[in-house]
Amino acid sequence: MPNGHPAWRWSSLGALALIFAADALTPLGFAHGILYPPVILLALFSGSIRLVSAVSLAAAVLTVAGVFISPAAPRDFAPLFVLANRLLALVAIALSGLLSVAIIHYLRQTHDAYRAQQRSRQESELLAGRLRNTLESMTEAFLVLDREHRITFANRRAERLLDTRSPAMPGQPLVAVFPQVRALLEQGGPEGEAELFYPRRECWLACRYVRTDDGLALTLQDCTERKRNEQSRLTEARALQMIYEGASLRAVLTQIVLGIEQVLPNTLASVLLLDEAGIHLQEGAAPSLPESYNRAVYGLAIGPRAGSCGTAMYRREAVIVEDIATDPLWADYKALALAHGLRACWSIPVLDGSGRVLASFALYHQHPKAPSEADRALIDRTSHIVGLALERHRQEAAQRALEEQLHHAQRMEAVGQLTGGVAHDFNNLLTVILGNGELLQEQLAREPALAELAQMMVVAAQRGADLTQRLLAFARRQALEPQVIRVNELVEGMHTLLTRTLGQHISMELCPTEDLWPALVDPAQLESALLNLCLNARDAMPGGGRLTIETANVRLDRDYAATHAEVEPGDYVLLAVSDNGSGIASEHLGRIFEPFFTTKEKGKGSGLGLSMVFGFIRQTRGHVSVYSEPGIGTVVRMYLPRAGAGALEAEPTKRVVPLPRGGDECILLVEDDALVRRYAEDQLRSLGYRVLTASNGDEALILLRQEQDIDLLFTDVVMPGGLGGPELAAQAKALRPGLKVLFTSGYTENAIVHQGRLDKGVQLLGKPYRRAELMVKIRQAMDNS
């Protein structure tokens, strides 16, 4: 109780003085003392215990003093009455003083308690204000829930984050605003946390709660950017791991798409590939899009108004369509998209290191939506991951293709070496068989039955010779005589032959290119290769069809050479043969150049036609490729090396066939095979020549030193003992500078043929040879100056 006004103090003291003065003037026996308690009660209003005590004490003293200073009592007042009057006044003063002190004390306690309560309330309000300010200034959303998970408090951050208003939130169950939080709140633990997707704002929220006696306290924080970065890194790591482990491209792209959809649950992601021609969309990965929508999109052409993905690939830049229903880029495909519930599509092209468009990455939404900066960053990052996957896949595919080509080349090389070795020995045998068969024909001319058997022997031997020649062509061991030729003129010159060969049921079309570059190639072998390809095309069209022969100038660049190990970048003359026949199955394409492999019926093909073409083109330092689709047709492309700028075209010359005649010159015959050596010796002697024989190079050198009249060295190219035909010829010419040399071989093994070309000035008689061929070649070598 606060102290009263000072007037109460002075009033009390004045009242004491007045009562005492009245008491002093009034005879004893009157109850003036009883007037003191009201004065004490008057002092009570001062609120001072000291004043009340002092007034009470003064009243008691003045009451006693009044006995001594007041006039005597009237006669009819008994002394006892006077005494009792004074005693009662003292008791009343005492009681009034005690009561006043008690009242003041009580009032002071009550006032102090009230003041304390007021101070406590003010402090509580201050603390509450500070706490509210603290909660409002938090970067996290903060909510207080009761036991039924109703919102009792939500700061402004919670209003903005949950996209609602605070007045509407208190009293609402939190699950009514944020249904995804139900599972977290029902865990039952004293505390918990989780990262949940909030559909209303399409963001991720990090949720943490702590239970209290009255409910729980909950904090929410937007973690979308961190979640996106983590998921992007995780998706990239998983994709690269899958690529490293050899997973298919579709599996890798599906992993990327599903990873992005985990970050944005209300989003549908898609990857569309672009075909090799750079025109049509191909299947990539879109597991969450409706399958009917995907099927409708695959095969569409890109263009300036081809939806989001097709336009993005065409423009080579990102295309953001916020509302498919109104955007003109979707005018032709709007009905398709809307029918599948798609309203927005953001697409970005995926480019390789050289700027070539490989694919597109797109995000679809089921309502109109514009991308945020975070969305754009996510799209850019994901397109980069898709680009890494596609580039790595291309590299892996190119590496596997190169390895397959290398293995194929090694296998073909091994077969070629084996083939060449077999052909060498086989040609030696055929030389003897063919030559003796011709001799038997001459000697059995008067016995038709036996002559027919000899004729059959010669025909069989000739077919064997043709077979070994094709094997040598495949093994790239034949001796070529490349010339600068005009391919258009060569093809035109074969038109009549090809027309007769193909038959009337097949139409042939020539498509020559004007200003075709000259090619450096053996014309005879090219004619043979072209004829083989036309025959194969004819057999692929038993019911008739169309055959097209095309020529063109082509440049094979480094990119093409990088995927074809045998190709050297440069200019080539293309000669292509295409048909619309039965085609070749994909599982057979890798083996079509192998010798004796054929897709024809048994007995209808030797399996050496394409292998001969392959060997000839490779030996010419060209390239051959085959593209085929079953039921559609086949295209075989021969890339012939372009003749250099300084190369001169071969002058047409008339062939002068020497008359079959012999001579009387001396010939040194060097042959390691005894049967061939005996056959050749007999043939040469029958032609009138003098013949010296040797089985190896060392014996031949001894004879060269002993005999002075040797006119011609007729030697095999490949011989055992370390001294082959070329080495022998070199040493022989050192001994005899004017000595003429004629080589013979069924397999030169690059001894006198380099890079497929016969060395300049070298004359060669290939095995097996007939008697007439031997006669002509010997005579040419003798007469050559």
Side-chain angles (χ1 to χ4, degrees):
M1 176 181 179
N3 292 329
H5 197 275
W8 295 111
R9 185 180 303 142
W10 296 112
S11 297
S12 299
L13 294 177
L16 287 175
L18 290 174
I19 295 172
F20 180 71
D23 190 26
L25 298 176
T26 305
L28 292 173
F30 288 92
H32 292 88
I34 202 66
L35 297 175
Y36 285 114
V39 176
I40 294 173
L41 294 177
L42 183 64
L44 170 66
F45 289 99
S46 69
S48 173
I49 293 178
R50 292 178 62 183
L51 179 61
V52 171
S53 300
V55 170
S56 298
L57 181 61
V61 171
L62 292 176
T63 299
V64 174
V67 175
F68 299 103
I69 64 172
S70 297
R75 289 182 182 270
D76 53 350
F77 281 14
L80 182 61
F81 176 78
V82 174
L83 179 61
N85 183 285
R86 295 291 173 173
L87 289 176
L88 287 174
L90 290 175
V91 170
I93 291 170
L95 290 176
S96 297
L98 291 176
L99 179 60
S100 296
V101 170
I103 290 174
I104 291 174
H105 183 72
Y106 172 74
L107 292 176
R108 280 189 174 182
Q109 284 185 337
T110 302
H111 181 266
D112 291 343
Y114 174 75
R115 293 290 299 273
Q117 184 178 4
Q118 287 293 101
R119 286 194 300 271
S120 176
R121 182 180 300 170
Q122 291 175 357
E123 290 175 357
S124 297
E125 290 177 354
L126 180 61
L127 290 175
R130 290 178 178 176
L131 178 59
R132 180 178 294 274
N133 291 336
T134 300
L135 295 177
E136 294 294 355
S137 63
M138 289 176 61
T139 58
E140 297 179 336
F142 182 81
L143 300 100
V144 178
L145 311 180
D146 61 14
R147 294 178 182 276
E148 284 73 33
H149 300 157
R150 292 189 296 265
I151 301 171
T152 60
F153 171 78
N155 63 1
R156 285 191 297 269
R157 179 62 178 169
E159 299 174 24
R160 293 192 297 268
L161 190 61
L162 297 178
D163 196 19
T164 184
R165 296 301 178 193
S166 183
M169 292 181 68
Q172 288 192 63
L174 179 60
V175 294
V177 180
F178 189 5
Q180 288 72 20
V181 81
R182 183 188 300 275
L184 176 65
L185 300 180
E186 292 177 351
Q187 288 181 359
E191 59 184 33
E193 61 180 279
E195 292 180 349
L196 304 174
F197 184 74
Y198 186 49
R200 181 177 294 182
R201 295 188 63 245
E202 295 189 350
C203 65
W204 284 88
L205 301 179
C207 308
R208 297 181 181 86
Y209 76 87
V210 177
R211 293 193 181 276
T212 64
D213 294 338
D214 299 327
L216 54 83
L218 180 71
T219 62
L220 304 173
Q221 189 172 24
D222 191 334
C223 61
T224 304
E225 184 175 357
R226 175 179 58 79
K227 185 79 172 178
R228 287 178 173 181
N229 291 335
E230 289 178 356
Q231 188 63 39
S232 296
R233 288 192 292 269
L234 180 61
T235 300
E236 182 176 356
R238 287 177 177 172
L240 293 177
Q241 181 180 1
M242 292 177 68
I243 295 172
Y244 176 78
E245 293 174 352
S248 66
L249 178 61
R250 180 179 176 84
V252 175
L253 296 180
T254 300
Q255 173 62 42
I256 295 173
V257 167
L258 294 178
I260 298 305
E261 291 178 349
Q262 289 178 5
V263 180
L264 302 174
N266 285 352
T267 300
L268 305 176
S270 166
V271 174
L272 284 173
L273 305 180
L274 191 61
D275 63 8
E276 288 296 327
I279 298 176
H280 296 100
L281 302 178
Q282 289 185 330
E283 179 180 5
S288 301
L289 285 173
E291 185 60 30
S292 57
Y293 177 80
N294 290 333
R295 288 196 302 268
V297 169
Y298 300 150
L300 295 179
I302 66 174
R305 294 165 60 91
S308 298
C309 298
T311 307
M313 293 186 190
Y314 180 80
R315 294 180 179 176
R316 305 165 66 86
E317 62 182 21
V319 172
I320 305 299
V321 173
E322 300 176 7
D323 189 354
I324 292 175
T326 59
D327 198 291
L329 296 181
W330 281 83
D332 296 336
Y333 311 103
K334 176 173 61 178
L336 173 66
L338 297 180
H340 291 87
L342 305 176
R343 286 298 300 271
C345 182
W346 316 330
S347 181
I348 186 171
V350 179
L351 312 179
D352 64 7
S354 62
R356 176 189 176 193
V357 179
L358 302 177
S360 70
F361 172 72
L363 294 180
Y364 289 87
H365 299 269
Q366 295 177 335
H367 54 83
K369 182 176 175 62
S372 63
E373 291 299 324
D375 292 329
R376 290 179 180 271
L378 179 64
I379 294 173
D380 289 339
R381 184 175 181 85
T382 306
S383 67
H384 175 68
I385 299 173
V386 173
L388 290 178
L390 292 175
E391 193 66 27
R392 186 66 178 271
H393 177 77
R394 289 180 63 194
Q395 292 175 358
E396 293 286 343
Q399 182 67 24
R400 288 193 298 268
L402 287 175
E403 291 176 356
E404 183 177 348
Q405 290 179 20
L406 177 60
H407 294 158
H408 183 265
Q410 290 174 340
R411 184 172 68 250
M412 300 286 274
E413 185 68 22
V415 173
Q417 291 179 356
L418 175 63
T419 300
V422 170
H424 172 263
D425 294 335
F426 196 36
N427 277 332
N428 282 337
L429 297 175
L430 287 175
T431 300
V432 178
I433 296 172
L434 188 60
N436 286 312
E438 289 182 328
L439 289 176
L440 285 175
Q441 278 186 294
E442 294 178 359
Q443 296 177 5
L444 296 174
R446 297 181 179 180
E447 299 183 30
L450 296 177
E452 185 176 354
L453 293 177
Q455 174 66 21
M456 292 174 59
M457 180 192 304
V458 171
V459 172
Q462 187 59 53
R463 291 180 63 182
D466 294 339
L467 179 62
T468 57
Q469 185 63 28
R470 291 192 174 193
L471 290 174
L472 286 173
F474 163 74
R476 288 170 284 165
R477 297 295 188 269
Q478 62 181 341
L480 300 180
E481 297 184 14
Q483 302 175 22
V484 178
I485 67 168
R486 298 287 179 179
V487 176
N488 283 343
E489 296 177 3
L490 183 142
V491 174
E492 185 63 33
M494 294 183 64
H495 183 272
T496 303
L497 171 64
L498 294 176
T499 301
R500 289 199 305 265
T501 302
L502 295 174
Q504 296 181 352
H505 65 297
I506 294 177
S507 63
M508 184 176 67
E509 180 182 3
L510 301 183
C511 299
T513 295
E514 296 183 3
D515 301 324
L516 189 68
W517 296 327
L520 185 62
V521 66
D522 188 321
Q525 294 296 332
L526 180 59
E527 289 178 351
S528 178
L530 180 58
L531 180 60
N532 267 297
L533 295 181
C534 292
L535 291 175
N536 283 342
R538 180 197 64 184
D539 294 341
M541 300 181 288
R546 185 181 68 257
L547 182 141
T548 305
I549 301 177
E550 303 175 78
T551 60
N553 296 324
V554 175
R555 178 168 184 78
L556 301 181
D557 56 18
R558 295 185 181 275
D559 291 339
Y560 186 87
T563 58
H564 298 79
E566 77 281 1
V567 175
E568 295 181 7
D571 295 334
Y572 292 84
V573 176
L574 172 65
L575 178 58
V577 178
S578 59
D579 65 68
N580 60 347
S582 57
I584 303 172
S586 57
E587 62 269 20
H588 294 153
L589 280 176
R591 300 187 59 195
I592 57 175
F593 292 128
E594 295 181 6
F596 303 113
F597 178 82
T598 180
T599 58
K600 299 177 183 179
E601 297 180 11
K602 187 174 181 180
K604 291 189 176 181
S606 65
L608 289 173
L610 284 177
S611 62
M612 183 274 292
V613 174
F614 172 81
F616 157 64
I617 295 297
R618 290 291 303 278
Q619 191 175 1
T620 307
R621 304 180 69 177
H623 170 59
V624 60
S625 68
V626 177
Y627 177 80
S628 183
E629 292 188 20
I632 296 178
T634 302
V635 181
V636 181
R637 297 180 176 90
M638 295 185 291
Y639 298 87
L640 310 173
R642 178 185 182 183
L648 298 176
E649 294 188 36
E651 293 291 338
T653 58
K654 295 182 179 180
R655 293 188 176 181
V656 179
V657 180
L659 295 175
R661 64 184 181 88
D664 56 359
E665 292 91 344
C666 182
I667 299 175
L668 175 56
L669 172 63
V670 186
E671 172 63 61
D672 62 291
D673 189 290
L675 290 175
V676 177
R677 185 172 63 251
R678 180 178 175 183
Y679 162 73
E681 180 183 2
D682 291 344
Q683 293 294 330
L684 292 173
R685 291 187 184 279
S686 68
L687 294 172
Y689 296 106
R690 290 176 290 123
V691 182
L692 300 176
T693 62
S695 61
N696 55 58
D698 293 331
E699 292 181 7
L701 287 176
I702 293 174
L703 290 174
L704 283 168
R705 293 187 181 96
Q706 293 176 351
E707 301 291 336
Q708 299 299 319
D709 59 346
I710 297 176
D711 300 294
L712 175 68
L713 174 63
F714 182 33
T715 177
D716 194 4
V717 174
V718 181
M719 294 185 295
L723 190 63
E727 293 81 7
L728 171 61
Q731 294 188 31
K733 286 192 173 184
L735 293 174
R736 304 280 184 85
L739 183 65
K740 295 180 176 60
V741 179
L742 174 62
F743 293 100
T744 181
S745 180
Y747 174 44
T748 62
E749 200 178 16
N750 289 334
I752 59 175
V753 175
H754 294 88
Q755 297 181 348
R757 305 175 185 181
L758 199 62
D759 291 345
K760 186 176 181 180
V762 172
Q763 297 194 65
L764 174 68
L765 175 61
K767 295 179 182 178
Y769 47 81
R770 295 170 175 267
R771 184 168 181 265
E773 294 171 339
L774 174 64
M775 181 191 312
V776 170
K777 207 65 179 178
I778 290 289
R779 196 66 259 163
Q780 286 180 345
M782 287 289 189
D783 297 339
N784 184 19
S785 58

